[in-house]
Structures are given as structure tokens and as C-alpha cells.
Amino acid sequence: MSGTSGSVAAATPDDEYEILCDDNGPFLRRYSTEDGATVVTDTTLDGTTAYTVAGTVGRCSEPPLPPNPQLAGTIQRQTGAGTVTIAAGARSVTVVVYAGSPTVAIGGGTAVPLNAGTSLTWSVDRGGDAGEQLQDGYVFTGVAGTEFLVTSTREA
């Protein structure tokens, strides 16, 4: 066949793949086009096991972040004898000692004196769906000559 030129086109399907999600999670959808017709085939993510769609189909996305929780705050200044109690479950607790040596007992433990000038904070990073909170209660006790400030936050 000397002097002959030309080309031959083999009819092969054009396949495109997309990972989609339905009510059960992700699956693989293959779009095949051959001879102008498009055929849709759904499989599990292995690409071979047949899959039956359940519910609404859409693009997969990252799960939404939980909304920022609303926090309620407290503040109490104690001068002289008295007690400030912060129940377990707070997101943060801070004490600042101005005078004297009030004590703090955490989770029913032994009371520890805090000297004037002390500032302490206990806190967690996240609450909401993560459920972080301080597991212990805090009891701050003052006597004559003490002055301190206690603040706290917790989910409202």
C-alpha cells in the first residue's frame, strides 16, 4: 500500500467520574458518552460494586462547623469574709487577689492559700459540640483583710 495515507478512529467511550453524596454518604458516579448518548452508572467508591442512590444527591462538602455557642459571664468582687463558688461545667474561671490570702478549693480538694498579687485562670478551648468544660467546681473563700475578684464564663 505504498502512497496511501489516512487515519482510523476507534469508537471508545468517554468516561468522566465524580464523587457525589446522598443520604448514606459518598459514592462514585460515572458518566459514559458513546455515540452521542450519555449513560450514568453509580457505584460504591471501589468503582465496581453497583450502588443504589438513597435520598437527595449533591456534591459532598465538609460538615458545617458547629455554631459559636453563647457564653454567659459572671464577675464577683469579695472584700473580707465570704465565699465565691463557681459550679463545675464552666468554660473559664479567673481569680485576681488584691489583698490578704484567700483560699481556693478545686473539686472539693484541700483549700490552698493565694497570696496578694496572684492571678490564675483555668479554661478550655472549645465547648459546643466538642463538649469541653471544666469538670471541677471552684470555691474561693476570703477572711477579714482579703480582697479578690472572681470571673467565669459558661455556655448559656
Side-chain angles (χ1 to χ4, degrees):
M1 291 219 186
S2 151
T4 304
S5 66
S7 63
V8 176
T12 59
D14 176 25
D15 292 337
E16 301 290 330
Y17 298 88
E18 184 171 18
I19 296 176
L20 297 172
C21 286
D22 65 6
D23 292 349
N24 292 325
F27 65 94
L28 186 64
R29 178 164 282 173
R30 181 179 69 230
Y31 301 93
S32 298
T33 305
E34 188 172 355
D35 298 328
T38 300
V39 176
V40 175
T41 306
D42 295 329
T43 66
T44 60
L45 294 177
D46 68 9
T48 58
T49 305
Y51 182 80
T52 302
V53 172
T56 304
V57 174
R59 293 192 180 271
C60 299
S61 64
E62 295 292 320
L65 295 173
N68 290 330
Q70 297 295 310
L71 298 180
T74 65
I75 186 167
Q76 183 173 341
R77 186 175 201 121
Q78 181 63 45
T79 302
T83 301
V84 177
T85 301
I86 305 297
R91 289 274 301 274
S92 69
V93 176
T94 298
V95 61
V96 179
V97 180
Y98 298 109
S101 294
T103 61
V104 59
I106 302 172
T110 303
V112 175
L114 304 174
N115 294 325
T118 299
S119 175
L120 298 171
T121 297
W122 299 265
S123 66
V124 296
D125 289 334
R126 292 183 47 174
D129 291 346
E132 290 182 353
Q133 58 186 0
L134 297 170
Q135 71 179 13
D136 295 317
Y138 296 76
V139 178
F140 301 91
T141 304
V143 296
T146 59
E147 184 176 1
F148 59 96
L149 182 74
V150 177
T151 61
S152 71
T153 60
R154 69 178 58 243
E155 287 192 35

